[in-house]
Structures are given as C-alpha cells and as structure tokens.
Amino acid sequence: MQLADVRTAAAADATTISRLLADVIRSSYAGILGEIPARRLVSTQCALPRIRAEIEIPGGAPGWLGWLVATDTDGTIVGAAAGGVPMPGEGELYALGVAEGSRRRGVGTALLAAATDRMRGFGAREMRVTLPAEEDPALPFYESQGFGPLTPTRWSRAL
C-alpha cells in the first residue's frame, strides 16, 4: 500500500477515528490488559464526544496540536495520531493507531513524522509517549523510531 495522505483531521473524521482507535486497542491489548482495563481504555480514549470536541477546538488549545489522519490511496482512513506540546520543549504523543490491515506499511511512521514536524514547529526538543502496558506490542515500533525508556511504560526521544 502506498500512503496517499497525512492530513489534519476534520469534524467528519471523528467517528472513524473513534472506531479505529477502539479496534486497535481491542486487537492490540487482548491478552495483555484484562477485560476491565481494556474497556476502560476504550471508553476514555475513544469516546466520540471527546474526539469530536478535540477536533473542533477553535484555533487549538494551549499545548494541543490536534488530530492527524492517514489515508490510503482510496481516501480511507487507515491511521490516526494526536499530540501536543503541553510543556515548553516537550512534545507528547497522546495517541497513534493504525488499522490492523495497514500495519507495517509505513502508516505509523508517516503519522509519527507528521506529529513530530508539528511538535518541532512549536518548539519541542523531545517527544514522549505513555504506553498502556509494559509489554506493549508497539514497543518495537517506538524503539525503531529512536524512543528509549524513561519508565517501563513511559518512553522518550530527542527531536
């Protein structure tokens, strides 16, 4: 698959982002997180009203850089990411998810690169991410992108 586009999410993308992230959490953390923690993660991170509100923040909010989506050549959303610079110099990746059938095809790398560019534009010199589990299935991806552990679930890289 060739990545067609990484763009800023639009209000019409909120439902797709919510579903995509919920599917990613359910498939990625089955057997790693218990059923209740996984449900709690889906309900807090994938709530449609929350994602819709985050997309529609007029002019952004201090430290919030918004949602990005990756589309395939047909225009179908195959990945999403969100981030910000909540503290001077420190970028934070709040979410990054890629649809199961689109993994290992450069989608996550393209989303991370776009989020990184945004964070650098707002003065970030470091990027951090907090993972839901110590044995997180995304660890090889983050390691390949230059992240290293601060704690078992908190990772960082210089920008």
Side-chain angles (χ1 to χ4, degrees):
M1 176 190 89
Q2 280 190 338
L3 186 64
D5 191 22
V6 174
R7 62 173 171 78
T8 300
D13 299 327
T15 300
T16 303
I17 292 169
S18 174
R19 288 181 183 151
L20 183 141
L21 291 177
D23 290 345
V24 167
I25 290 168
R26 287 184 192 108
S27 68
S28 297
Y29 296 103
I32 295 173
L33 297 177
E35 183 178 336
I36 291 172
R39 284 185 185 183
R40 189 173 297 130
L41 190 60
V42 168
S43 70
T44 59
Q45 299 301 312
C46 308
L48 182 57
R50 173 188 169 177
I51 292 171
R52 186 175 290 130
E54 290 171 346
I55 289 172
E56 296 176 354
I57 293 172
W64 172 247
L65 299 180
W67 282 95
L68 298 167
V69 293
T71 59
D72 65 13
T73 54
D74 298 335
T76 302
I77 294 174
V78 294
V85 182
M87 302 200 41
E90 292 183 17
E92 186 75 29
L93 186 65
Y94 298 121
L96 192 152
V98 176
E100 196 164 348
S102 297
R103 294 182 188 158
R104 302 192 193 295
R105 297 183 181 175
V107 176
T109 300
L111 284 164
L112 184 61
T116 299
D117 288 346
R118 280 188 170 191
M119 290 178 196
R120 278 190 185 124
F122 282 83
R125 296 177 307 280
E126 181 178 20
M127 178 187 285
R128 296 180 179 191
V129 63
T130 300
L131 304 171
E134 288 184 28
E135 60 278 358
D136 200 288
L139 281 176
F141 169 76
Y142 288 111
E143 286 177 321
S144 75
Q145 299 297 317
F147 285 82
L150 295 172
T151 71
T153 60
R154 185 104 167 112
W155 288 62
S156 175
R157 74 172 181 175
L159 296 185

